[in-house]
Amino acid sequence: MRALIDIFGQVFRAIGANKLRSFLTMFGIAWGVASLLLLIGLGEGFRSGQRRSLAQVGDDVIMMFGGTIPALPNQHTGMRPYKLTLSDAEAIRAGAPHVRNVTALINRGDLKEVSEFSSAGGAVMGVQLNFPDIRHLPIAQGRFLDADDLAQHRLVVVLGQKNSNLLFPGRPPLGAFITINGYRFQVVGVAAKIGRGNNDGDNQKIYIPLTTMMELFPITGDNIPEDSVYSIQYQPTSESLNETAKTEVHRIVAANHGFTPDLKDAFEEWDTIKSMQTVGLIFTAMDFFLGGVGIVTLALGAVGIVNIMLVTVQERTREIGLRKALGATNRSIMTQFFLEGLILTGLSGVIGIGGAAALMTFLGSLMGDNQMGFDPPRLVPWSAAMAVGTLALCGIVAGIYPASIAAHLEPVEALRKE
């Protein structure tokens, strides 16, 4: 035990004897570790932010819209437009076994909303009862639409958070009335804030029963069915079956509108599951790239430590020879230089990890409730584990190689060294 304490004492005295050299060496390792963690942390922050943005849309949502049917595959001449219908939604509900939930809606942006205090112009959504089960729509006050609202074609409305503030500034909206293109609707609920930052599109929407919407504000035009809807939105039974669910839906819609489901250009849709997977692949590749850059930086610092340790052995050749002449063993010499390299590496790594964590915490406090489209960088456990593992390898290499050279010096040759 006493011998080990003496060795540690010699190690710290040797490090202290070359303060500037030790500082610069440790700075290189600490910078490499901090760079590795920060780069990966930034990538994970972007990934997390994108996931949260897509989660604001809803869970596992696939949105389908009316499209145009090409006369021939991959041709854009002689295309025939078609609108989705409520009948399509019912057929999907009955005939697509890999679809667990489906809803239809109408979206009108040309209607005017007026209260006794103000006016607003957000989109009016005619929706079904299960809309909040598919799309993210938390209710802050009151309630959402119920079965009686749809069955009786009631004139009731749920306001988006921003439209509630615009139509009833500083006043309670529940139970009050607004007019939509002259029709008087009672406010039964107010949605909570959706999304982050200046993305207020969803917060300016208002929601009324789909049956009321189709009666008062239907989609009109030439050759448009009476039960036309703006969009059909659905969820597959699981994320992995999204393509199977889409194939079933394509088959049903194509059969209802008289074309073959092989005409992929005829379908207008957004698959949020596929978008999430694409984002995941992009940021995984980014993690590998940024992690590689960090490891290269860390490796350069390790090379610096090996170089410094070799210089140290060269400078202390006579000291090593004298100690061996006085009885020091190869093992004690090797242990001292090995520990010196390991301590330089380990202490640098701890400083780098601590500095990176502190900077990430500071950036997180600056961002506050994070109203931007990305999250603050965060310490990723696997990147910290990779940094520690790389540090351990660098420390062993930086210690053993110079230490073995020092331990195998011949005392007589070492003492003759100028």
Side-chain angles (χ1 to χ4, degrees):
M1 184 65 182
R2 179 68 183 172
L4 188 60
I5 293 174
D6 289 341
I7 289 175
F8 271 105
Q10 292 168 358
V11 167
F12 284 109
R13 282 194 295 272
I15 293 174
N18 297 281
K19 294 181 179 64
L20 181 59
R21 179 193 298 171
S22 299
F23 168 77
L24 293 176
T25 303
M26 292 173 66
F27 179 79
I29 288 287
W31 181 264
V33 172
S35 298
L36 172 64
L37 298 182
L38 281 171
L39 289 172
I40 294 178
L42 283 168
E44 286 300 305
F46 278 107
R47 184 203 298 267
S48 175
Q50 290 301 309
R51 282 177 174 169
R52 288 219 290 161
S53 295
L54 283 174
Q56 293 292 319
V57 175
D59 295 327
D60 307 340
V61 184
I62 302 174
M63 305 180 187
M64 175 175 276
F65 307 91
T68 52
I69 305 166
L72 293 171
N74 302 318
Q75 287 194 2
H76 299 281
T77 57
M79 303 184 76
R80 173 171 61 87
Y82 71 94
K83 289 285 186 182
L84 297 175
T85 65
L86 199 56
S87 301
D88 293 331
E90 295 300 328
I92 292 169
R93 190 174 288 113
H98 292 94
V99 173
R100 74 175 190 265
N101 209 350
V102 59
T103 192
L105 61 91
I106 293 177
N107 182 341
R108 292 281 301 267
D110 58 343
L111 306 179
K112 189 70 172 178
E113 306 124 39
V114 179
S115 71
E116 59 180 309
F117 309 105
S118 183
S119 63
V124 178
M125 308 280 290
V127 297
Q128 296 180 307
L129 295 183
N130 61 345
F131 181 81
D133 298 333
I134 298 177
R135 297 291 300 274
H136 179 67
L137 185 63
I139 300 298
Q141 302 177 47
R143 64 173 178 85
F144 191 64
L145 308 175
D146 61 26
D148 289 337
D149 294 333
L150 272 84
Q152 300 174 25
H153 299 209
R154 288 176 177 171
L155 303 184
V156 293
V157 62
V158 175
L159 301 179
Q161 182 257 352
K162 186 167 184 178
N163 263 19
S164 174
N165 295 335
L166 291 173
L167 293 169
F168 299 96
R171 294 172 175 83
L174 287 184
F177 290 87
I178 67 170
T179 60
I180 302 176
N181 274 27
Y183 292 94
R184 193 165 182 256
F185 285 74
Q186 185 176 26
V187 179
V188 296
V190 177
K193 180 176 174 58
I194 304 172
R196 293 179 288 173
N198 295 323
N199 184 16
D200 278 331
D202 286 334
N203 295 309
Q204 295 184 58
K205 293 177 180 177
I206 67 173
Y207 306 87
I208 67 174
L210 180 60
T211 51
T212 306
M213 187 79 162
M214 298 182 78
E215 180 182 336
L216 301 181
F217 315 115
I219 298 175
T220 57
D222 295 335
N223 300 318
I224 292 180
E226 291 184 358
D227 63 342
S228 292
V229 295
Y230 170 75
S231 173
I232 292 175
Q233 305 184 2
Y234 59 95
Q235 296 168 307
T237 51
S238 68
E239 285 187 16
S240 60
L241 293 173
N242 65 316
E243 292 298 333
T244 303
K246 285 197 291 187
T247 299
E248 294 173 351
V249 171
H250 289 180
R251 175 179 52 79
I252 292 169
V253 170
N256 286 356
H257 293 273
F259 64 94
T260 172
D262 296 334
L263 296 174
K264 300 302 181 183
D265 292 340
F267 300 103
E268 295 290 336
E269 60 191 353
W270 178 32
D271 183 350
T272 63
I273 300 172
K274 191 172 182 179
S275 296
M276 184 77 78
Q277 292 169 346
T278 302
V279 168
L281 289 174
I282 291 171
F283 284 105
T284 296
M286 184 183 294
D287 282 346
F288 278 110
F289 173 74
L290 296 178
V293 172
I295 288 176
V296 169
T297 306
L298 190 56
L300 291 175
V303 169
I305 283 193
V306 174
N307 186 49
I308 290 300
M309 292 304 298
L310 288 172
V311 171
T312 301
V313 170
Q314 191 75 16
E315 290 177 344
R316 294 163 62 186
T317 301
R318 288 177 61 83
E319 174 197 331
I320 295 167
L322 181 59
R323 289 182 59 197
K324 295 189 75 171
L326 292 175
T329 63
N330 285 354
R331 182 176 179 180
S332 66
I333 297 293
M334 189 169 182
T335 301
Q336 178 183 340
F337 281 90
F338 173 72
L339 287 175
E340 191 171 326
L342 198 61
I343 288 172
L344 280 172
T345 307
L347 190 58
S348 304
V350 170
I351 293 171
I353 292 173
L359 182 57
M360 291 180 194
T361 302
F362 175 69
L363 289 175
S365 65
L366 281 183
M367 294 178 69
D369 59 355
N370 187 25
Q371 295 299 309
M372 290 173 279
F374 58 90
D375 290 341
R378 54 193 175 88
L379 194 60
V380 182
W382 69 263
S383 67
M386 183 171 66
V388 170
T390 308
L391 278 173
L393 179 63
C394 294
I396 290 170
V397 173
I400 286 181
Y401 179 58
S404 64
I405 293 177
H408 289 90
L409 285 173
E410 291 295 333
V412 174
E413 293 298 325
L415 287 171
R416 292 174 56 187
K417 182 85 172 173
E418 290 297 333

